[in-house]
Coordinates of all heavy atoms in Angstrom, one line a residue:
Y431 N 4.0 9.1 -19.7 CA 2.7 8.7 -19.1 C 2.3 9.7 -18.0 O 1.2 10.1 -17.8 CB 2.8 7.3 -18.5 CG 1.6 6.9 -17.6 CD1 0.3 6.7 -18.1 CD2 1.8 6.8 -16.2 CE1 -0.7 6.4 -17.4 CE2 0.7 6.5 -15.4 CZ -0.5 6.3 -16.0 OH -1.6 5.9 -15.2
A433 N 3.4 12.9 -17.2 CA 3.4 14.3 -17.4 C 2.0 14.9 -17.6 O 1.2 14.2 -18.2 CB 4.3 14.7 -18.5
P434 N 1.7 16.0 -16.9 CA 0.4 16.6 -17.2 C 0.1 16.8 -18.7 O 1.1 17.1 -19.4 CB 0.5 17.9 -16.4 CG 1.4 17.7 -15.3 CD 2.5 16.8 -16.0
G435 N -1.1 16.7 -19.1 CA -1.4 16.8 -20.5 C -1.1 18.1 -21.1 O -0.7 18.1 -22.3
A436 N -1.2 19.1 -20.4 CA -0.9 20.5 -20.9 C 0.6 20.6 -21.3 O 0.9 21.5 -22.1 CB -1.2 21.5 -19.9
F589 N -6.8 15.1 -7.6 CA -6.0 14.0 -8.2 C -5.3 13.3 -7.0 O -4.6 14.0 -6.2 CB -5.0 14.5 -9.2 CG -5.7 15.2 -10.3 CD1 -5.9 16.6 -10.3 CD2 -6.1 14.5 -11.5 CE1 -6.4 17.3 -11.3 CE2 -6.7 15.2 -12.6 CZ -6.9 16.5 -12.5
A644 N -11.9 19.8 -18.8 CA -11.4 21.0 -18.4 C -10.3 21.4 -19.4 O -9.5 20.5 -19.7 CB -10.8 21.0 -17.0
R647 N -9.5 19.2 -22.5 CA -9.1 17.8 -22.3 C -10.2 17.1 -21.5 O -10.9 17.8 -20.6 CB -7.8 17.6 -21.7 CG -6.6 18.1 -22.6 CD -5.3 18.0 -21.8 NE -4.2 18.3 -22.8 CZ -3.8 19.5 -23.1 NH1 -4.4 20.6 -22.4 NH2 -2.8 19.7 -23.9
A648 N -10.3 15.8 -21.6 CA -11.3 15.1 -20.8 C -10.9 13.7 -20.5 O -10.0 13.1 -21.2 CB -12.7 15.1 -21.7
V649 N -11.4 13.1 -19.4 CA -11.3 11.7 -19.1 C -12.7 11.2 -18.8 O -13.6 11.9 -18.4 CB -10.4 11.5 -17.9 CG1 -9.0 12.0 -18.2 CG2 -11.0 12.1 -16.6
D685 N -6.9 7.3 -17.6 CA -5.6 8.0 -17.3 C -6.0 9.4 -16.9 O -6.6 10.2 -17.7 CB -4.7 8.0 -18.6 CG -3.4 8.8 -18.4 OD1 -3.2 9.1 -17.2 OD2 -2.7 9.0 -19.3
A686 N -5.7 9.8 -15.7 CA -6.0 11.1 -15.1 C -5.1 12.2 -15.6 O -5.3 13.3 -15.4 CB -6.2 11.0 -13.6
A687 N -3.9 11.8 -16.0 CA -2.7 12.8 -16.3 C -3.2 13.9 -17.3 O -2.7 15.0 -17.1 CB -1.6 12.1 -16.7
P688 N -4.0 13.6 -18.3 CA -4.3 14.7 -19.2 C -4.9 15.9 -18.6 O -4.8 17.0 -19.1 CB -5.2 14.0 -20.3 CG -4.8 12.6 -20.3 CD -4.4 12.3 -18.8
L689 N -5.7 15.7 -17.5 CA -6.3 16.8 -16.8 C -5.5 17.5 -15.8 O -5.9 18.6 -15.3 CB -7.6 16.4 -16.1 CG -8.9 16.0 -17.0 CD1 -10.0 15.7 -16.2 CD2 -9.2 17.2 -17.9
R690 N -4.4 17.0 -15.4 CA -3.6 17.6 -14.3 C -2.9 18.8 -14.7 O -2.2 18.9 -15.7 CB -2.5 16.6 -13.8 CG -3.1 15.3 -13.2 CD -1.9 14.5 -12.7 NE -1.4 15.0 -11.4 CZ -0.4 14.4 -10.8 NH1 0.2 13.3 -11.3 NH2 -0.1 14.8 -9.6
P691 N -3.2 19.9 -14.0 CA -2.5 21.2 -14.3 C -1.0 21.1 -13.9 O -0.7 20.6 -12.8 CB -3.2 22.2 -13.5 CG -4.4 21.5 -12.9 CD -4.1 20.1 -12.9

Side-chain angles (χ1 to χ4, degrees):
Y431 170 73
F589 302 92
R647 295 178 174 82
V649 300
D685 180 10
L689 283 184
R690 297 183 77 185

